[in-house]
Amino acid sequence: MGIIFDIKRFAVHDGPGIRTTVFLKGCPLRCRWCHNPESWLPVPGCAVRKVVLDEREFLEEETIGREMTAEEVMAEVEKERIVMEESGGGVTFSGGEPLMQAAFLESLLQTALAAGIHTAVDTSGFAAPNQLEAIAPHTRLFLFDLKLMDDARHQEYTGVSNRLILQNFLWLAETGKPLRVRIPLINGINTDPGNIRQTIDFLLPNREVVQQVDLLPFHRIGKGKYERLGLPLSLPGVEASPGSAELTAIRQQFQAAGFVVKVGG
Ligand code: SF4
């Protein structure tokens, strides 16, 4: 049994083909730019939203997350089997950080593979190495986030050190497991030339296993979620969204280093 906070069908940015993305609740990070603060707590939660009816305002409680068995989750995934098969897609487990529910994630991955469904895991990389080792054989593709190379700045902006993340990345790369690297780009936090250069230098020795680099420009969305959850707003301002000239320059740097790059997703 695990806690799921969303299941998104027909996802086209979470791995190859058309996929169903399952969002597991719980995340040990607190990225300042997080669009999904409802994912943070590893238990079902509650949010309050304002509803206007006939010019009167009402407060309505909504529950976030529900307990599901692996069989119940996979029954939802199976509904799109034809689309997945025809498009070369599959299922992606995301979060939050899906490895916060490592045993449940492992059983989901095993069930999906046994049913002949391609599996991907979208991770922040912040997980106990033995848990990563346990799920790796059942994962066909990792979508691995890299946010900031400087450890002090990583701690400042995400709440955790990047040492374990980088160590886990190197371990996965050594196994030869296919990886897609996802980099959120937030002006004033990680788009500076120094961080981009350090990221490329870190990835270069592992270019063989890095199938693609996804550059994900920050957009200031999700403000309402912080209000509904009663959380202080940590999102950077609109000036944190990189412009097209900056994005082009960063994309070209990765391409010049030999990486396949996609912007957005
Ligand atoms: S790792 Fe993802 S879900 Fe967790 S806080 Fe960061 S952006 Fe949000």
Side-chain angles (χ1 to χ4, degrees):
M1 189 78 87
I3 314 289
I4 302 295
F5 77 94
D6 201 4
I7 295 180
K8 187 171 81 181
R9 301 176 198 289
F10 309 115
V12 292
H13 298 295
D14 297 337
I18 300 174
R19 312 184 69 80
T20 294
T21 302
V22 178
F23 295 88
L24 280 72
K25 206 165 177 323
C27 186
L29 278 69
R30 293 292 179 268
C31 305
R32 297 250 188 112
W33 56 86
C34 184
H35 293 155
N36 293 321
E38 73 275 29
S39 73
W40 290 349
L41 296 181
V43 289
C46 200
V48 178
R49 69 187 178 117
K50 216 182 279 174
V51 182
V52 180
L53 271 180
D54 198 19
E55 296 181 4
R56 289 180 61 196
E57 280 187 1
F58 299 89
L59 294 180
E60 190 179 81
E61 273 199 356
E62 63 176 313
T63 306
I64 300 163
R66 66 179 173 123
E67 284 195 341
M68 293 179 83
T69 63
E71 291 70 29
E72 285 170 333
V73 173
M74 291 314 299
E76 290 299 310
V77 172
E78 283 281 358
K79 288 178 183 171
E80 308 306 335
R81 180 180 273 276
I82 295 172
V83 178
M84 286 175 197
E85 283 179 355
E86 287 185 353
S87 66
V91 61
T92 299
F93 298 105
S94 183
E97 169 47 64
L99 276 150
M100 268 204 68
Q101 300 185 54
F104 182 54
L105 175 62
E106 189 180 349
S107 96
L108 288 168
L109 289 164
Q110 284 172 331
T111 314
L113 275 191
I117 296 172
H118 178 273
T119 54
V121 170
D122 180 9
T123 180
S124 66
F126 191 83
N130 65 324
Q131 293 177 335
L132 191 61
E133 284 168 30
I135 66 147
H138 317 298
T139 306
R140 294 290 171 260
L141 171 71
F142 278 91
L143 311 175
F144 200 108
D145 298 354
L146 285 183
K147 305 176 200 302
L148 263 165
M149 298 309 289
D150 180 85
D151 192 27
R153 287 173 62 76
H154 197 280
Q155 289 193 39
E156 180 184 352
Y157 288 108
T158 72
V160 302
S161 162
N162 66 8
R163 275 189 299 236
L164 179 62
I165 294 168
L166 300 181
Q167 177 192 317
N168 280 336
F169 181 92
L170 292 175
W171 178 81
L172 268 180
E174 224 171 83
T175 66
K177 196 59 83 175
L179 292 158
R180 281 197 191 177
V181 175
R182 304 185 121 183
I183 306 174
L185 292 175
I186 309 107
N187 279 351
I189 296 182
N190 69 350
T191 53
D192 54 286
N195 184 57
I196 298 300
R197 189 68 255 163
Q198 274 181 282
T199 308
I200 291 172
D201 289 346
F202 175 76
L203 291 176
L204 261 179
N206 306 294
R207 202 170 49 191
E208 300 278 292
V209 290
V210 176
Q211 287 188 341
Q212 183 170 300
V213 175
D214 292 335
L215 301 176
L216 311 172
F218 171 75
H219 297 294
R220 202 172 193 269
I221 53 174
K223 181 168 167 269
K225 290 184 183 176
Y226 282 82
E227 287 164 0
R228 292 203 295 279
L229 293 160
L231 292 168
L233 186 66
S234 63
L235 288 172
V238 283
E239 69 286 353
S241 300
S244 62
E246 283 166 291
L247 281 175
T248 302
I250 294 171
R251 189 184 67 214
Q252 285 172 346
Q253 275 178 275
F254 278 93
Q255 284 172 330
F259 294 102
V260 174
V261 183
K262 187 175 142 220
V263 177

